[in-house]
Amino acid sequence: ENTFTKHNPDIIFHVAAYKHVPIVENNITEAITNNVLGTKNLVTLALKFKIQNFTLISTDKAVRPTNIMGATKRLAELLIHAISKSKELNTNNINFSIIRFGNVLGSSGSVVPLFYKQINEGGPITLTDEKMTRYFMTIREAAILVLQSTLLQSDNEIFVLDMGMPIKILDLAKKMIKLSGLTEKNKDNPNGNIEIKITGLRPGEKLYEELIVDNNMKKTDRPHILKAREKIVKYNEIIELIDEISNFAESSDIRKIKSILMNEIIGYRPKDNEV
């Protein structure tokens, strides 16, 4: 609130979130506090200070989430949508928008710097599953498209950045070894330099990521920015879920938190052994 009072911003880009899937799985109450309640606090201030544009940076992991990180971001998306469409709350017609995209090459936690580090240390490159695929774009591409999206008016749509075709992580690892001037060490090449080691999926991790809930994406007038219309949930329903989940976060009741996130509105579906 001090920052809002001092700087009187016009545009808010809400990027802050705990996003490392395995770490969040082990720190669920902190993820609720930051990813959900932090969003609620920021939106409340945006309404109070009559911000012009509020943009939530979301993630492909919010689509049919199998992990806590994705579920908390999905709840944040639903909150923004509900407030945007509430005539009682959004009296100043703030342009609320949600932008959903996948992995950003070179960002904190990205596999690219991790793979380079592992290659420089002589390997092995660790990969959770040889079938895993992910969407990627560069930091520059993502930043430009996020800025451009603020010029678009959102009508209960979610903006989705066109990230092209998903990339097989195993192919990425092999290419990075080759680009480093080295060779892969495997049964066919036992004298190679870098081994690729398959470690198994981590808690909450998906083999494939998705960008939309329903297959109804349309083009906008901005290249590489698409939009998807998704169901709006009423503000009262969302705030009731958030208040309930907040109470259980305070008491660190993980089972209750997960049961709330498994509400059909949010769509959180963990693996059976992770409930």
Side-chain angles (χ1 to χ4, degrees):
E1 188 164 9
N2 288 336
T3 301
F4 275 72
T5 302
K6 182 178 179 180
H7 298 287
N8 192 28
D10 298 310
I11 302 173
I12 300 297
F13 294 98
H14 181 30
V15 186
Y18 293 133
K19 64 185 183 66
H20 190 282
V21 171
I23 291 177
V24 169
E25 290 295 311
N26 292 320
N27 296 275
I28 292 174
T29 56
E30 285 302 313
I32 297 297
T33 302
N34 192 38
N35 297 5
V36 179
L37 302 183
T39 301
K40 178 188 173 187
N41 291 343
L42 201 58
V43 171
T44 301
L45 288 170
L47 293 168
K48 178 180 177 180
F49 285 85
K50 302 177 182 179
I51 302 301
Q52 292 177 14
N53 285 276
F54 185 106
T55 298
L56 172 70
I57 304 299
S58 192
T59 168
D60 51 4
K61 293 175 177 61
V63 179
R64 284 181 275 273
T66 60
N67 50 62
I68 296 295
M69 195 280 276
T72 57
K73 293 295 284 185
R74 180 57 180 156
L75 190 49
E77 286 183 352
L78 291 167
L79 174 65
I80 298 298
H81 252 165
I83 289 177
S84 173
K85 291 303 166 188
S86 171
K87 293 181 180 179
E88 293 79 15
L89 293 169
N90 192 16
T91 54
N92 293 292
N93 292 318
I94 296 172
N95 183 33
F96 285 99
S97 60
I98 300 165
I99 306 174
R100 191 188 284 157
F101 54 97
N103 297 274
V104 177
L105 288 166
S107 65
S108 174
S110 169
V111 296
V112 173
L114 172 62
F115 285 177
Y116 270 128
K117 180 175 183 290
Q118 291 175 335
I119 289 169
N120 289 333
E121 292 174 350
I125 286 180
T126 54
L127 179 65
T128 56
D129 195 288
E130 60 186 12
K131 295 179 181 178
M132 178 173 286
T133 63
R134 289 292 183 268
Y135 291 96
F136 286 100
M137 76 172 23
T138 66
I139 293 174
R140 178 178 173 80
E141 285 176 313
I144 289 173
L145 292 175
V146 165
L147 289 171
Q148 288 181 351
S149 71
T150 62
L151 303 174
L152 301 172
Q153 290 292 319
S154 175
D155 183 23
N156 83 306
E157 299 116 348
I158 289 180
F159 295 123
V160 179
L161 302 190
D162 183 359
M163 305 193 72
M165 297 298 293
I167 296 171
K168 199 171 181 180
I169 304 300
L170 179 61
D171 292 342
L172 176 63
K174 289 176 181 289
K175 184 170 288 187
M176 288 180 65
I177 292 171
K178 186 176 181 180
L179 290 173
S180 299
L182 303 171
T183 59
E184 181 187 351
K185 181 180 179 180
N186 52 38
K187 63 180 181 180
D188 297 323
N189 185 26
N191 296 319
N193 307 109
I194 305 293
E195 179 187 5
I196 297 176
K197 185 177 181 181
I198 306 299
T199 59
L201 287 176
R202 297 173 296 182
E205 197 169 38
K206 278 183 176 181
L207 276 179
Y208 314 100
E209 297 292 0
E210 305 168 274
L211 287 168
I212 54 173
V213 174
D214 299 310
N215 190 24
N216 61 349
M217 274 203 295
K218 296 180 180 179
K219 292 182 179 181
T220 66
D221 58 5
R222 295 277 165 175
H224 307 297
I225 302 177
L226 308 171
K227 60 183 179 182
R229 185 176 291 269
E230 296 183 2
K231 183 181 178 182
I232 296 287
V233 181
K234 291 182 179 179
Y235 174 76
N236 290 342
E237 292 182 59
I238 294 300
I239 209 64
E240 185 177 324
L241 282 175
I242 290 175
D243 288 344
E244 190 177 6
I245 208 169
S246 174
N247 291 333
F248 290 123
E250 287 182 10
S251 60
S252 297
D253 193 330
I254 303 302
R255 284 191 172 276
K256 288 288 187 181
I257 290 172
K258 285 191 171 184
S259 68
I260 294 170
L261 292 176
M262 289 174 71
N263 183 298
E264 64 179 16
I265 293 173
I266 302 168
Y268 171 54
R269 292 293 180 268
K271 297 174 184 176
D272 292 340
N273 61 348
E274 294 173 3
V275 179

